[in-house]
Amino acid sequence: MSELKKIKDELLSKFKEKLDLSEINQIKTDLFGKSGKITLQFKKIGTIDESERKKFASDLNTIKDQLQKIINSKINEIENAEIEERLKKEKIDITLPERPFVRGKIHPVSQTIDEISSIFSEIGFSVEEGPDVENEFNNFTALNTPDNHPARDMHDTFYLDEKKEKLLRTHTSPVQIRTMLKDKPPFKIIAPGRTYRSDSDQTHSPMFHQVEGLHIDKDINMGHLKGCLNYFIKEFFEVKKIKMRFRPSHFPFTEPSAEVDIGYEIKDGKIIIGEGDQWLEILGCGMVHPNVLKNVNVNPSKFQGYAFGIGIDRLAMLKYGINDLRAFFDCDYRWLNHFGFDPLDVPTNYRGLSR
Ligand code: DAH
């Protein structure tokens, strides 16, 4: 016992000095390591006379527990002191002024896409997406626009390879093809997104936005197309009545095809939609050509329907009084702050669809 007491006293006297963590760990090893003092005492148990062995072992265990407790509490003490020290140094100064906070604005085109999506979703259209980089089949061939069709030239296509197999989509119509190839009819979708053509002036930008519409079912006719577009335009421009006319046109993927104009007039330098005797073209549409349906394995004697393609940027310009298309894509912060939308202050017909 006296030897054990000696070990304990030694430890207590060492602990009177100021020790750091590494010194304490060293002491721990000296006691409990492979040839530590306590470890050696345990090894000794076997050699002790049987009459004293039990008591020795019990004393040894007691002293071992005591020593461990002393060491652990010392380690705790040191660690707590370190935390205290750090807390004192790291005090947060709550009197500091906050960093300047800038709230971003929603781009008018994004806002317009949201509005269009929510209006169509209320009458049962779901939203589909397609990639900006398309293949020639989806963008042209499947849409009944074969190689050397004159409509291909009109699109001023950006081709991405010499074989002209990859391109930047010239319209959102390839999403019709993607949708019909992946699902079974009926289809009732819109597809907003970016489109590209090599064209640039005050009313054309090489990148612009369209929204495609497609409604295919067993008994869809041109009356449905008219009703749907009329409803959309009234909702979008927030007017009760709209003057609207269908002009015969040609698109390879629709038969018959039409372009739709809406009536407007300029009053006190402001454009008024739905009144007056001026006409403005805003979209192309028609009944989906049977060849297109055949190309996507839909039986044209069972299913038919309409499609349309609307220029989003022009609608946004009209609704929000923006007169140069290029401003949309200049990324001028001042312009965006003026024409952009506060995310927390949404206009009346915004119905909360996510972008
Ligand atoms: N894709 C045509 C274009 O960009 C627009 C269009 C016209 C889309 C008629 C249609 C449609 O879906 O039926 O000029």
Side-chain angles (χ1 to χ4, degrees), residues 26-41:
Q26 185 56 51
I27 294 174
K28 230 173 146 179
T29 320
D30 291 346
L31 290 173
F32 305 109
K34 227 175 168 187
S35 44
K37 284 183 184 152
I38 294 293
T39 315
L40 291 180
Q41 293 297 327

Side-chain angles (χ1 to χ4, degrees), residues 155 170-171 173 176 197 210 212-213 251 253-254 284-286 307-309:
H155 276 211
T170 56
H171 49 180
S173 305
Q176 289 187 32
R197 288 182 205 175
Q210 287 189 340
E212 193 74 14
F251 299 102
F253 31 90
T254 42
C285 61
F308 55 83

Side-chain angles (χ1 to χ4, degrees), residues 102-119:
V102 187
R103 189 197 284 164
K105 290 276 181 104
I106 294 178
H107 194 285
V109 171
S110 304
Q111 174 69 32
T112 306
I113 290 176
D114 272 357
E115 290 174 19
I116 294 174
S117 303
S118 57
I119 293 169

